[in-house]
Amino acid sequence: NSSITSALQSLQKASGNLDKAAQNITGGSLDPQDVVSLSQAATDFKASAAVLKASDEASKSLLNITA
C-alpha cells in the first residue's frame, strides 16, 4: 500500500532528523534550528502515525465488508 510505504519513509526521515538534532544539541549546539528540527520531527512522527492508523482502519473496514 503506497500510503503505508510513504508513512514509513516519513518515519525514517523524521528519525534521522531527530537523531541529527539530538546529537547537535548533546554536542553543545545552541543553534535554534536544532530545536525546530526536534519539534518538526515530533510533528512528522504524529502525522505518519495518523496515516498508518487510518490505513489500518480502512483495511479492517474493507475486510469487514468483504467478510
Side-chain angles (χ1 to χ4, degrees), residues 16-53:
N17 292 341
L18 175 71
D19 288 344
K20 182 178 177 184
Q23 287 176 359
N24 290 346
I25 291 170
T26 301
S29 172
L30 299 176
D31 185 354
Q33 183 59 44
D34 290 323
V35 176
V36 171
S37 293
L38 289 175
S39 178
Q40 184 63 50
T43 301
D44 291 346
F45 273 113
K46 289 177 187 176
S48 295
V51 169
L52 290 171
K53 182 178 178 183

